[in-house]
Amino acid sequence: MEKSNRIVLFWTLTIIGFLSHSLAGVMPAFWGESIAAMESPASKGMISFMMCLTYTTPVIGILLVVYGGKSAKLINAVLACIMAVFTVLHMSELIEEFNVVQLFIMPVMAVVAILMAVDSIKLYKEL
């Protein structure tokens, strides 16, 4: 498979992974369990940041790979590396607060993000 197609696939899998990650947190509500957080709700700034990270950044990455030139590929590689670091750090939260459901999602997301960063860097270097 061509690198640019793989990168688009990895960005898409990143969006799906974040959706699955969020869905796993609310699934207990379907069985009548409370999913209310004990701490205060997140600020609007934090919610905006997470929406930017989980949807806007991958979409920008896809558009850069599909329509951009060499500088766009560099920006995509930087975004992919940031996403890989964020995903690995976010996965490390499983050490502090173990969640068996997230155990099936977060490691796969980390592997996908790392593969995406590697392919993005290779794609940039090829140009």
Side-chain angles (χ1 to χ4, degrees), residues 41-109:
S43 68
K44 289 180 182 175
M46 179 56 89
I47 293 170
S48 298
F49 171 74
M50 289 307 297
M51 289 301 101
C52 179
L53 188 69
T54 61
Y55 178 74
T56 307
T57 302
V59 169
I60 290 170
I62 290 170
L63 293 174
L64 289 169
V65 169
V66 173
Y67 294 110
K70 186 168 179 142
S71 60
K73 303 289 192 283
L74 174 62
I75 296 168
N76 172 68
V78 170
L79 290 176
C81 290
I82 290 170
M83 187 63 72
V85 169
F86 173 80
T87 307
V88 170
L89 291 175
H90 189 56
M91 183 186 70
S92 70
E93 291 176 8
L94 286 172
I95 296 168
E96 292 176 13
E97 187 178 323
F98 183 74
N99 183 336
V100 71
V101 175
Q102 298 298 345
L103 185 62
F104 295 106
I105 299 168
M106 294 307 297
V108 174
M109 285 186 66

Side-chain angles (χ1 to χ4, degrees), residues 1-12 61-62 65 76 80 115-116 118-121 123-124:
M1 181 184 288
E2 186 182 329
K3 272 190 192 64
S4 58
N5 290 341
R6 273 199 317 257
I7 294 167
V8 169
L9 175 63
F10 289 147
W11 277 120
T12 305
I62 290 170
V65 169
N76 172 68
L115 290 172
M116 176 175 62
V118 168
D119 271 358
S120 293
I121 292 167
L123 180 66
Y124 170 72

